[in-house]
């Protein structure tokens, strides 16, 4: 296969709407995913700020219970299905063909179809807010029987089911596309053991999607049948089984957590070597660890069900503990990459260090709640809220910002401003920890999650006010990022192909890349072809 | 009712659970501090000063003995933690052959019923949440179920919760070890007034319990 | 393709082991069924790869291959523009939304899907 594809159309201008609507170019689709997921991020983040404002003081009546329940349902659904996962999909869409030296994805039209289905699905979930009973309000987990028609009577719940179903089908199609592209469309010399770690992590992610998402689709279909076609799968009053929903949901839901983090392991594995000016440490170990995590994560779903008294706790506890081992390997590999390096703390690297610091705490609390005796207290409390946000906020979200700052020049041809970038980092880092660290304590002290208010007891008011203050600081960080985009776009300061002196093939071509991706390719003799071309004295294999 | 910040274990089971928290908290904090230290040390020790790039640092990219060590050591740690946790859970979930008191707890949107077998049934109202009265030092069996959606029975000072799932009753034992009144609440999101689905637990002496029981039994 | 093959086979074996272990320890049917379906899916993918792709000789798998080795080889000719994807996605979404909102919208979606199908067949000829 070759980088030479038949291309006839001249690169169109940025503003042609029809071009964006009909494009099957992986770079445009990737950009659309990234921008769409950032749009959903702004909305979901705003919902979170409203929730934090309601929770700033005890017994507050700013937001009604019904509205609050919609707020956290939409916040969770959006962050998981419409922000963290699709941002990774967008990044991978943009990067994988470039990183492996391919002209496009294996199935370009399928790829575009997936994007539009994801967009329409996401909009459907939010459009539920316009119905008479409002949007879905049974949480992103939609536990049956709460989500059954007897109790959640509104149209919003149905639109949630349809929207999430569309998104999950789109995600499965994209996963098949990623696997095929990476296995088949690599450039000459780009063997599997030379593709960037990010591409490997996306293969592992896609495999997980392929295994986990059908279970979600099945659960949603059954719920729909229960609601409208007289089924009783989850309704115990007619012989259904309420635990069945939890099995089906978490069989998807736990691997989903790794779908939300593995791509970002890939992101930091790309960025840390560049800003340490060293190759990634333990390439093989990182790849094996990715698949170990993916494999183990298929056997831990019921650690979300320890408190049901209906599952084999030790089995799930054991496999959950085991996941700590490959995750630890990754941490040590990242530290090994920085070890004795020549480290520059540019904004992308700052966000990676922030990722390491935050995610570590999320990992440690993750091992804690893998122990059922601890989970008996922590489950469904703010301790879980803290844990989950340290993984998906302090982890994935920080990696999202690292990726934005790192690949922005490649996507849009201009660098983001460094000083505003550092301001953005510090606001987000401080704001994040002030928001979410106190939640560990709130959970231990006895505050359940998903409550619209709380009584004036113990340190609830103090810790909650602190968390709310932190969320405003995070908001300021997001504003700093938006301002950065405006400033940097106005400045129009074009960058060359390789502004960071990076390693992988996407830095060989111009920024932004031409429609056919590459005019020529360097010889590929290691996992760092661009570095090799710039440092022939060090390059492995001695190929010129 | 709930003045201090940390829950203080109020059942025999809670003392076992508190030890698990202590062990995992300490071990977790130790690991976190070591790894945080390694991250910050590498960043600040080898941070490049100024704008000049200088020569490339050493380009090593693997070290097999080291990689085996940092796979094997965490593996041993988590195996040890698993063995500990397995035993602790067995202690906490053990059901006594003959409990002294059996209470059927029913959760519903958004309140609780406590039905003592061979004794009174306690109903609460929205304004006046129900109270579960328990005898100190005796074994209490809770049989938990729900009549509508999923709920969860959580008493923070017992460091314990169990889901109340319709059609799926479960049982657990409590051995109250401390006199006092404790706050209980629903932990599993259950709809509109989930946040206000509270109850309380009052642990009294055996004789007080018997007096209360006969006074309320109709 | 050897790497892909090895990956699919080891995934299938691993998930079969987990499924069996889960049944032995828990005797819980739902999870065993889900793990079983997953193992079966992976076995299918592995089998497909063995049958269809074992002989594949990819230039990307040759460690010493140079860019020039692939010259003249075409990945295939495809347009970088197509109105079909957005149209198809819109049609599918109309069907989904129509089912819960109004049958008319669903009918519209079905018609749009049929049109997309016809266009697709015409295009691929
Ligand atoms: Cu409840």
């Amino acid at each position: 296969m070759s980088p030479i594809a038949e291309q006839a159309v001249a690169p169109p201008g940025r503003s042609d709407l029809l071009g964006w609507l009909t494009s099957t170019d992986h770079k445009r689709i990737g950009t659309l995913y990234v921008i769409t997921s950032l749009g959903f991020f702004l909305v979901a983040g705003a919902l979170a700020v409203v929730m934090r404002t309601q929770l700033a003081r005890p017994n507050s009546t700013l937001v009604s219970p019904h509205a609050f329940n919609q707020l956290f349902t939409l916040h969770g659904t959006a962050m998981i299905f419409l922000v963290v996962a699709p941002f990774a999909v967008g990044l991978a869409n943009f990067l994988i063909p470039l990183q492996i030296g391919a002209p496009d994805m294996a199935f370009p039209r399928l790829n575009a179809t997936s994007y539009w289905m994801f967009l329409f699905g996401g909009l459907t979930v939010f459009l539920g807010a316009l119905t008479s009973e409002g949007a879905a309000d049974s949480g992103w987990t939609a536990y049956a029987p709460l989500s059954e028609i007897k109790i959640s009577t509104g149209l919003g719940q149905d639109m949630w089911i349809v929207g999430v179903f569309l998104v999950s089908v789109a995600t499965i199609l994209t996963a098949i596309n990623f696997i095929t592209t990476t296995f088949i469309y690599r450039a000459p010399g780009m063997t599997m053991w030379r593709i960037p770690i990010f591409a490997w992590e996306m293969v592992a992610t896609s495999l997980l999607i392929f295994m986990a998402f059908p279970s979600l689709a099945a659960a949603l279909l059954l719920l729909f049948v229960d609601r409208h076609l007289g089924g009783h799968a989850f309704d115990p009053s007619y012989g259904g089984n309420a635990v069945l929903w939890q099995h089906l949901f978490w069989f998807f839901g736990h691997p989903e957590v790794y779908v939300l983090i593995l791509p970002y392991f890939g992101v930091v594995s790309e960025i840390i070597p560049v800003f340490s000016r060293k190759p990634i440490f333990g390439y093989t170990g990182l790849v094996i660890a990715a698949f170990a995590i993916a494999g183990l994560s298929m056997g831990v779903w019921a650690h979300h069900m320890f408190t049901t008294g209906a599952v084999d706790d030790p089995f799930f506890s054991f496999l959950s503990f085991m996941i700590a081992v490959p995750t630890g390997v990754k941490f040590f590999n990242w530290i090994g990459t920085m070890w004795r390096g020549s480290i520059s703390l540019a904004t992308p690297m700052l966000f990676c260090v922030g990722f390491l610091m935050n995610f570590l705490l999320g990992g440690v609390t993750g091992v804690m709640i893998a122990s059922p005796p601890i989970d008996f207290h922590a489950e469904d409390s703010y301790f879980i809220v803290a844990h989950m946000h340290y993984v998906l906020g302090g982890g994935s979200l920080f990696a999202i910002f690292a990726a934005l700052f790192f690949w922005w020049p490649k996507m849009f041809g201009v660098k983001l401003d460094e000083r505003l970038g550092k301001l953005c980092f510090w606001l987000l880092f401080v704001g994040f920890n002030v928001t979410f660290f106190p939640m560990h304590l709130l959970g231990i002290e006895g505050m359940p999650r998903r409550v619209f208010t709380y009584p004036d007891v113990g340190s609830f008011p103090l810790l909650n006010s602190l968390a709310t203050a932190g969320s405003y600081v995070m908001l300021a960080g997001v504003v700093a990022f938006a301002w950065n985009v405006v400033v940097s776009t106005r400045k129009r300061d074009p960058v060359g192909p390789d502004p960071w002196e990076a390693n992988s093939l996407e830095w060989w071509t111009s920024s932004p890349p031409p429609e056919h991706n590459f005019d020529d390719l360097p010889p590929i003799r290691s996992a760092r072809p661009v570095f090799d071309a710039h440092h022939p004295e060090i390059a492995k294999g001695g190929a010129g | 009712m709930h003045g201090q910040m940390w829950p203080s274990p109020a059942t025999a089971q809670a003392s076992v659970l508190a030890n698990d928290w202590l062990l995992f908290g300490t071990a977790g904090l130790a690991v976190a501090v070591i790894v945080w230290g390694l991250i910050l040390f590498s960043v600040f020790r080898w941070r490049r000063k100024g704008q000049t790039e200088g020569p490339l640092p050493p380009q090593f990219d693997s070290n097999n003995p080291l990689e085996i060590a940092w796979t094997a050591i965490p593996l041993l740690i988590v195996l040890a933690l698993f063995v500990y946790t397995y035993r602790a859970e067995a202690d906490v979930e053990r059901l006594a052959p003959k409990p002294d008191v059996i209470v059927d707890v029913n959760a519903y949107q958004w309140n609780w019923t406590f039905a003592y077998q061979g004794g009174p049934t306690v109903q609460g109202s929205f304004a006046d949440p129900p109270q579960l009265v328990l005898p100190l030092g005796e074994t209490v069996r809770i049989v938990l179920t729900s009549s509508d959606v999923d709920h969860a029975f959580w008493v923070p000072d017992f460091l314990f919760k169990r889901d109340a799932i319709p059609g799926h009753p479960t049982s657990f034992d409590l051995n109250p070890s401390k006199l006092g009144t404790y706050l209980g609440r629903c932990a599993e999101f259950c709809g509109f007034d989930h946040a206000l689905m509270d109850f309380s637990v009052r642990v009294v002496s055996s004789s007080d319990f018997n007096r209360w029981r006969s006074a309320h039994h109709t | 393709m050897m790497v892909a093959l090895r990956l699919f086979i080891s995934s299938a074996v691993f998930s079969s082991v987990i499924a069996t272990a889960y049944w032995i320890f828990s005797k819980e049917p739902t999870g065993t069924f889900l793990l079983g379906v997953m193992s079966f899916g992976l076995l299918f993918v592995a089998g497909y790869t063995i049958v269809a792709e074992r002989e594949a000789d990819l230039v990307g798998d040759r460690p010493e291959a140079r860019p020039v080795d692939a010259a003249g080889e075409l990945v295939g000719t495809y347009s970088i523009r197509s109105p079909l994807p957005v149209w198809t996605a819109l049609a599918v979404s109309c069907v989904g939304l129509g089912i819960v909102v109004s049958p008319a919208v669903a009918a519209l979606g079905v018609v749009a899907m049929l049109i997309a199908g016809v266009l697709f067949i015409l295009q691929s000829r």
Side-chain angles (χ1 to χ4, degrees):
Chain A
M1 307 288 163
S2 88
I4 307 152
E6 199 162 284
Q7 305 287 348
V9 187
R14 289 212 167 274
S15 57
D16 66 327
L17 183 64
L18 198 64
W20 286 100
L21 272 174
T22 59
S23 178
T24 57
D25 176 355
H26 72 99
K27 298 183 291 300
R28 283 197 161 202
I29 295 168
T31 310
L32 283 172
Y33 264 113
V34 164
I35 292 172
T36 310
S37 60
L38 288 181
F40 281 127
F41 168 71
L42 291 181
V43 177
L47 301 181
V49 172
V50 176
M51 280 191 280
R52 277 317 323 165
T53 308
Q54 156 73 8
L55 293 173
R57 303 301 308 151
N59 304 316
S60 163
T61 52
L62 184 74
V63 177
S64 74
H66 181 55
F68 192 89
N69 296 345
Q70 295 175 55
L71 284 175
F72 72 70
T73 301
L74 287 181
H75 169 78
T77 306
M79 283 298 189
I80 284 169
F81 290 105
L82 311 176
V83 179
V84 177
F87 183 89
V89 166
L91 200 62
N93 247 307
F94 187 88
L95 286 179
I96 286 185
L98 289 171
Q99 290 192 326
I100 64 173
D104 205 319
M105 296 280 279
F107 311 112
R109 282 187 298 194
L110 185 69
N111 196 19
T113 312
S114 304
Y115 166 75
W116 293 107
M117 272 176 76
F118 145 72
L119 174 67
F120 298 146
L123 291 177
T124 304
V125 170
F126 273 98
L127 278 179
L130 302 179
T131 61
S132 59
E133 291 178 61
D137 61 354
S138 55
W140 84 275
T141 48
Y143 269 18
L146 182 62
S147 52
E148 292 277 18
I149 193 108
K150 274 192 296 193
I151 294 160
S152 298
T153 51
L155 189 57
Q157 187 67 50
D158 290 312
M159 292 175 70
W160 183 91
I161 294 172
V162 170
V164 174
F165 188 82
L166 288 173
V167 172
S168 59
V169 172
T171 313
I172 294 171
L173 296 178
T174 304
I176 293 170
N177 218 337
F178 284 143
I179 292 188
T180 316
T181 306
T182 314
F183 282 145
I184 313 267
Y185 285 77
R186 281 164 289 116
M190 181 62 82
T191 63
M192 281 308 281
W193 292 106
R194 288 175 185 165
I195 66 172
I197 295 288
F198 177 75
W200 266 122
E201 300 279 359
M202 283 312 297
V203 171
T205 305
S206 303
L207 209 56
L208 270 184
I209 291 172
F210 178 71
M211 295 186 289
F213 272 66
S215 180
L216 173 67
L220 293 172
L221 277 176
L222 282 174
L223 182 59
F224 185 83
V225 170
D226 270 21
R227 285 173 67 86
H228 294 293
L229 303 173
H232 302 292
F234 308 120
D235 187 352
S237 40
Y238 292 91
N241 185 348
V243 181
L244 177 66
W245 172 268
Q246 296 198 29
H247 273 299
L248 290 174
F249 185 84
W250 289 117
F251 192 83
F252 144 78
H254 194 81
E256 168 72 354
V257 175
Y258 290 90
V259 168
L260 300 177
I261 196 69
L262 287 179
Y264 299 107
F265 286 171
V267 164
V268 298
S269 302
E270 294 302 302
I271 296 176
I272 291 176
V274 172
F275 293 93
S276 307
R277 301 178 75 206
K278 276 182 56 200
I280 186 81
F281 188 92
Y283 179 101
T284 319
L286 280 167
V287 173
I288 294 172
F291 286 96
I293 292 174
L296 288 168
S297 81
M298 293 305 304
V300 300
W301 74 90
H303 69 203
H304 297 264
M305 299 161 66
F306 284 157
T307 57
T308 59
V311 296
D312 182 13
D313 289 1
F315 178 88
F316 292 104
S317 168
F318 179 75
L319 289 181
S320 307
F321 275 132
M322 294 300 288
I323 292 190
V325 176
T327 311
V329 166
K330 284 184 177 281
F331 259 96
F332 293 122
N333 278 324
W334 293 322
I335 294 171
T337 306
M338 296 193 289
W339 202 260
R340 294 178 63 202
S342 164
I343 296 172
S344 145
L345 286 181
T347 311
M349 182 66 173
L350 263 184
F351 274 105
C352 285
V353 177
F355 167 96
L356 295 178
M357 302 295 287
N358 295 332
F359 185 77
L360 179 64
L361 190 56
V364 164
T365 51
V367 175
M368 292 175 72
I369 54 181
S371 167
I374 289 182
D375 191 66
F376 291 160
H377 185 51
E379 176 72 9
D380 283 321
S381 79
Y382 258 79
F383 193 86
I384 296 292
V385 178
H387 158 72
M388 166 231 305
H389 283 88
Y390 266 85
V391 172
L392 297 180
S396 303
L397 187 66
F398 273 65
I400 284 178
F401 277 95
L404 282 170
F405 278 92
F406 187 62
W407 280 293
W408 194 273
K410 187 50 69 183
M411 271 189 183
F412 301 105
V414 290
K415 248 190 188 178
L416 289 171
D417 185 78
E418 270 293 305
R419 272 180 52 197
L420 280 171
K422 282 178 176 145
L423 177 70
C424 169
F425 168 79
W426 284 111
L427 287 171
L428 284 180
F429 187 76
V430 172
F432 175 83
N433 282 288
V434 172
T435 306
F436 292 103
F437 190 82
M439 292 186 185
H440 293 109
L441 309 177
L442 278 172
I444 294 173
E445 195 175 337
M447 181 154 161
R449 67 192 284 202
R450 294 174 167 179
V451 290
F452 69 91
T453 192
Y454 53 91
D456 186 1
V457 292
S459 40
F460 281 6
L462 173 74
L463 293 172
N464 272 296
S465 307
L466 207 58
T468 304
S471 75
Y472 295 151
V473 178
M474 285 187 82
L475 180 64
V478 175
V479 171
F481 177 78
W483 181 240
N484 197 339
V485 170
V486 172
V487 169
S488 312
T489 312
R490 280 226 192 110
K491 219 167 27 179
R492 282 176 202 279
D493 202 358
V495 295
D498 186 12
W500 307 112
E501 300 186 31
N503 298 326
S504 43
L505 270 189
E506 76 267 29
W507 305 104
W508 184 255
T509 186
S510 62
S511 309
E515 213 143 58
H516 52 281
N517 285 356
F518 295 99
D519 291 328
D520 65 327
L521 282 175
I524 297 154
R525 292 293 173 267
S526 78
R528 307 195 281 173
V530 174
F531 176 92
D532 291 345
H534 294 154
H535 297 273
E537 75 284 0
I538 303 179
K540 280 181 184 167
Chain B
M1 185 186 285
H2 200 71
Q4 85 287 4
M5 181 156 155
W6 303 96
S8 58
T11 60
Q13 290 82 359
S15 305
V16 176
L17 295 165
N19 284 337
D20 214 45
W21 273 90
L22 198 65
L23 172 78
F24 275 75
T26 320
L29 201 63
V31 169
V33 166
I34 292 171
V35 182
W36 272 328
L38 282 171
I39 295 166
L40 291 178
F41 173 80
S42 357
V43 169
F44 288 108
R45 170 69 180 76
W46 290 294
R47 187 177 173 185
R48 155 165 113 222
K49 309 276 186 318
Q51 294 301 309
T52 50
E53 295 242 304
L56 279 176
Q59 299 290 301
F60 61 90
D61 64 1
S62 59
N63 181 327
N64 286 338
L66 207 57
E67 288 175 69
I68 290 167
W70 69 44
T71 310
I73 294 171
L75 185 66
L76 293 176
I77 295 177
V78 296
L79 285 178
L81 288 174
F82 173 73
V83 172
Y84 181 89
T85 210
Y86 182 82
R87 290 188 180 162
E89 186 182 359
D91 278 354
V92 170
E93 292 198 320
R94 188 170 300 121
L95 293 179
K98 264 180 81 80
D100 304 303
V101 180
I102 303 177
V103 190
D104 292 314
V105 174
N106 185 38
Y108 57 96
Q109 288 177 317
W110 293 274
N111 224 315
W112 307 83
T113 311
F114 304 124
Y116 291 77
Q117 288 190 8
T121 294
V122 181
Q123 293 268 15
S125 69
F126 200 70
D128 181 24
Q131 187 168 63
L132 179 65
V133 181
L134 300 179
L136 182 76
E138 293 184 23
T139 302
V140 180
R141 166 77 41 84
I142 305 283
V143 182
L144 180 63
T145 189
S146 156
S147 45
D148 41 43
V149 303
D150 294 3
H151 302 270
F153 174 100
W154 183 26
V155 182
D157 285 296
F158 294 174
L159 297 175
F160 186 81
K161 76 172 60 69
R162 180 62 67 82
D163 293 354
I165 299 174
H168 198 280
T170 65
S171 303
F172 56 92
D173 283 2
L174 298 170
N175 290 68
S177 59
K178 224 173 81 180
L179 294 175
T181 306
Y182 308 100
L183 184 66
R185 38 173 62 112
C186 176
E188 183 67 82
F189 176 64
C190 57
F192 190 83
D193 266 338
H194 161 63
L196 307 177
M197 191 172 154
D198 294 346
F199 60 98
S200 63
V201 181
R202 185 158 55 100
V203 176
V204 298
S205 69
S206 272
S207 50
D208 283 352
F209 178 76
N210 289 331
R211 218 167 301 139
W212 172 85
R213 185 152 140 151
S214 38
H216 285 78
H217 194 35
T218 44
Chain C
M1 286 310 282
M2 277 316 288
V3 177
L5 197 55
R6 248 185 291 164
L7 179 66
F8 290 143
I9 292 173
S10 47
S11 304
V13 170
F14 179 81
S15 87
S16 312
V17 169
I18 293 279
T20 315
Y22 183 64
W23 174 251
I24 291 169
F25 281 110
S26 73
K27 300 278 188 292
E28 189 272 310
T30 311
T32 311
F33 174 75
L34 290 170
L35 288 168
V37 169
M38 186 180 93
S39 311
F40 186 78
L42 286 168
L43 277 172
F44 177 80
V45 173
Y48 175 82
T49 315
I50 293 173
V51 173
E53 304 285 346
R54 188 182 30 180
E55 305 291 318
D57 174 34
L58 300 175
V59 71
D61 281 340
R62 300 207 295 266
E64 298 303 320
R66 302 171 139 269
V68 65
D69 295 345
E73 213 182 293
L74 278 184
V75 175
T77 54
Y78 45 80
S79 167
I80 56 159
R81 291 274 179 90
S82 169
L84 273 179
V86 64
W87 180 265
T88 312
L90 201 59
V92 173
S93 308
C94 279
V95 173
L97 198 61
I99 290 172
V100 298
V101 178
S102 102
V105 177
L108 209 65
V110 171
V111 173
M113 274 166 87
L114 289 174
I115 296 175
V118 171
L119 282 176
F120 182 77
I121 292 165
L122 287 179
Q123 261 194 14
S124 14
R125 278 207 297 186

